């Protein structure tokens, strides 16, 4: 081998090793500096608020153990409540006059199709049958429909007391199904036992009679729901007595975050973001406040949002604080869809440049149990602190104090 060529090759290899070592050392130094900043923050935090119990969690929301949305168990449960039929028949005649009055003044509410409920068809008030023989109440999902009012409601002009068999209906697991809705539709056919033979939906499909709203009221301590067939129906088309109502509710958490711009600042308003999982499993984030003056990147599940990129594009300035001096608690600075947020594990992370060394990137994940917090989770009705107003010294009750109080 040519000696000169070998010498050059060895020199280049040596230079590559040195270069790599310098890069590794530079990255290691940045990591050390980042940890030093976090340690300084933690020391100051403990000085102000006291030592932290090793079992202390920083998720104070009322749904801190809420499950993430999955597609498992997508099914409807519906079973007869036959033993209660006689009970229903005893009171529906007594309640009728009060029901007629109450339905007119009852509140119109948005219907949530994801719930568990015991439902007893009790009344129907039909002015014009439009050729229909029955109303059928069905739960529709994945482009299929399942009738839950088994034999339908036979129509008569004027008010009728029904006394139909009750049903325990559970559609809570359908939050990840497609095209989920309840429907009250008019139909013709021949009733044979519990089945309607030759069913013919009048005026379209079940989707044309989707239940979007309903009325709720009470008579003699009993709760009633009034449904209408389509937008032009009356809320007395079908009135059911209901009990054991357990709706699926949105999952909402408010994350209040410190970006470590100051190691003695504990106002937790550098970023305030609400994350919401709707009852259909879709997720979104709403940034309520940005009290920091350094650029940050917020990662929620699989979604990334940066003040210096998306924020600037929306008209915000990196160095400007928003909605912390005189906060408006319902302001929406930014709203964007989110994917992959797990409300149980709080997979939320903030990364920001160090205020003292722009080469240092600080990564701030949701704190583990027992750590000093830089992110806390609360219910969305909890207000954040005004600028430069630290959380009060008794803002959380340490675990040991909770245990002593319980004893």
């Amino acid at each position: 081998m040519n000696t000169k060529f070998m010498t050059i090759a060895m020199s280049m290899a040596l230079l590559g090793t040195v270069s790599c070592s310098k890069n590794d050392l530079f990255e290691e130094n940045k990591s050390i500096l980042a940890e030093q900043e976090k340690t300084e923050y933690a020391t100051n935090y403990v000085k102000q608020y006291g030592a932290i119990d090793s079992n202390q969690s920083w998720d104070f929301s009322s749904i801190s153990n809420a499950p993430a949305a999955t597609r498992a168990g997508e099914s409807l449960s519906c079973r007869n409540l036959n033993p209660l039929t006689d009970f229903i028949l005893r009171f529906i005649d007594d309640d009728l006059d009060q029901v007629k009055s109450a339905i007119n003044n009852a509140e119109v509410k948005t219907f949530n199709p994801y719930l568990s409920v015991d439902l007893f068809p009790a009344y129907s008030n039909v002015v014009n049958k439009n050729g229909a023989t029955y109303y059928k109440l069905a739960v529709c999902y994945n482009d299929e429909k399942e009738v839950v009012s088994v034999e339908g409601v036979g129509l008569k002009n004027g008010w009728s007391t029904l006394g139909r068999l009750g049903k325990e209906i559970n559609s809570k697991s359908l939050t990840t199904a497609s095209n989920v809705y309840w429907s009250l539709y008019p139909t013709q056919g021949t009733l044979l036992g519990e089945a309607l033979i030759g069913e013919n939906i009048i005026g379209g499909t079940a989707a044309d009679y989707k239940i979007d709203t309903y009325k709720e009221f009470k008579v003699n301590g009993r709760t009633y729901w009034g449904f209408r067939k389509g937008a032009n129906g009356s809320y007395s088309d079908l009135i059911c007595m209901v009990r054991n109502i357990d709706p699926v509710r949105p999952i909402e958490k408010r994350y209040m975050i410190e970006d470590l711009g100051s190691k003695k600042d504990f106002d937790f308003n550098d970023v305030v973001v609400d994350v919401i999982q709707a009852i259909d499993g879709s997720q979104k984030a709403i940034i309520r406040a940005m009290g920091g003056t350094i650029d940050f990147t917020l990662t929620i599940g699989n979604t990334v949002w940066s003040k210096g990129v998306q924020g600037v594009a929306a008209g915000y300035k990196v160095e400007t604080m928003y909605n912390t001096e005189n906060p408006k608690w319902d302001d929406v600075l930014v709203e964007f869809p989110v994917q992959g947020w797990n409300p149980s594990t709080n997979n939320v992370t903030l990364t920001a440049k160090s205020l003292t060394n722009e080469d240092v990137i600080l990564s701030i994940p949701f704190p583990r149990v027992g750590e000093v917090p830089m992110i806390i989770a609360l219910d969305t009705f909890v207000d954040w602190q005004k600028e430069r107003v630290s959380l009060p010294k008794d803002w959380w009750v340490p675990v040991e104090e909770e245990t002593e109080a319980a004893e």
Side-chain angles (χ1 to χ4, degrees), residues 1-258:
M1 176 182 285
N2 186 296
T3 305
K4 182 177 180 181
F5 177 79
M6 182 175 68
T7 303
I8 293 173
M10 291 178 62
S11 299
M12 290 178 68
L14 182 60
L15 284 171
T17 303
V18 172
S19 176
C20 182
S21 298
K22 284 183 178 179
N23 287 335
D24 289 344
L25 183 61
F26 182 66
E27 292 301 321
E28 184 178 346
N29 285 339
K30 288 200 298 183
S31 178
I32 292 172
L33 289 172
E35 289 306 312
Q36 286 176 346
E37 293 206 23
K38 290 183 178 181
T39 299
E40 183 183 350
Y41 171 92
T43 300
N44 292 331
Y45 185 95
V46 171
K47 284 181 181 178
Q48 180 155 333
Y49 296 106
I52 296 171
D53 188 275
S54 59
N55 296 315
Q56 181 65 56
S57 167
W58 302 106
D59 189 340
F60 299 99
S61 66
S62 55
I63 44 87
S64 57
N65 294 314
T70 67
R71 299 194 67 83
E74 227 176 60
S75 63
L76 174 72
S77 171
C78 183
R79 69 181 185 90
N80 289 340
L81 295 172
N82 296 0
L84 293 172
T85 302
D86 291 340
F87 170 72
I88 299 297
L89 291 172
R90 283 202 303 269
F91 68 73
I92 58 175
D93 286 334
D94 294 336
D95 284 356
L96 178 57
D97 288 340
Q98 294 177 70
V99 166
K100 289 179 180 180
S101 174
I103 188 69
N104 293 325
N105 301 316
E107 176 188 4
V108 176
K109 304 176 71 174
T110 300
F111 187 70
N112 172 6
Y114 310 98
L115 76 161
S116 175
V117 64
D118 295 345
L119 184 147
F120 303 85
Y123 310 96
S124 180
N125 179 27
V126 180
V127 177
N128 183 357
K129 292 189 290 186
N130 291 326
T133 306
Y134 294 94
Y135 284 158
K136 300 291 284 290
L137 184 65
V139 178
C140 306
Y141 60 100
N142 293 339
D143 299 319
E144 300 289 339
K145 74 176 187 295
E146 189 165 341
V147 175
V148 296
S149 180
V150 177
E151 70 275 56
V153 178
L155 302 183
K156 298 178 182 179
N157 275 315
W159 280 93
S160 300
T161 54
L162 304 173
R164 302 289 180 176
L165 300 181
K167 285 287 184 177
E168 180 187 73
I169 304 165
N170 190 334
S171 57
K172 293 173 69 173
S173 69
L174 300 182
T175 53
T176 55
S178 64
N179 198 23
V180 180
Y181 60 93
W182 289 39
S183 174
L184 179 65
Y185 57 86
T187 183
Q188 289 179 321
T190 302
L191 187 66
L192 181 62
E194 292 187 345
L196 192 64
I197 306 301
E199 176 180 280
N200 177 32
I201 298 177
I202 297 171
T205 66
D208 295 313
Y209 297 97
K210 177 180 177 182
I211 296 173
D212 290 315
T213 58
Y214 70 111
K215 282 191 174 184
E216 181 176 272
F217 59 96
K218 285 192 174 185
V219 169
N220 296 323
R222 289 178 277 272
T223 300
Y224 289 94
W225 287 354
F227 299 109
R228 61 179 181 171
K229 59 169 186 60
N232 297 320
S234 163
Y235 287 103
S236 59
D237 286 340
L238 174 63
I239 300 174
C240 300
M241 192 275 284
V242 295
R243 66 173 199 176
N244 298 331
I245 308 161
D246 181 19
V248 173
R249 295 177 174 84
I251 297 172
E252 302 181 351
K253 289 190 181 185
R254 172 163 292 170
Y255 293 99
M256 301 184 186
I257 307 174
E258 277 296 324

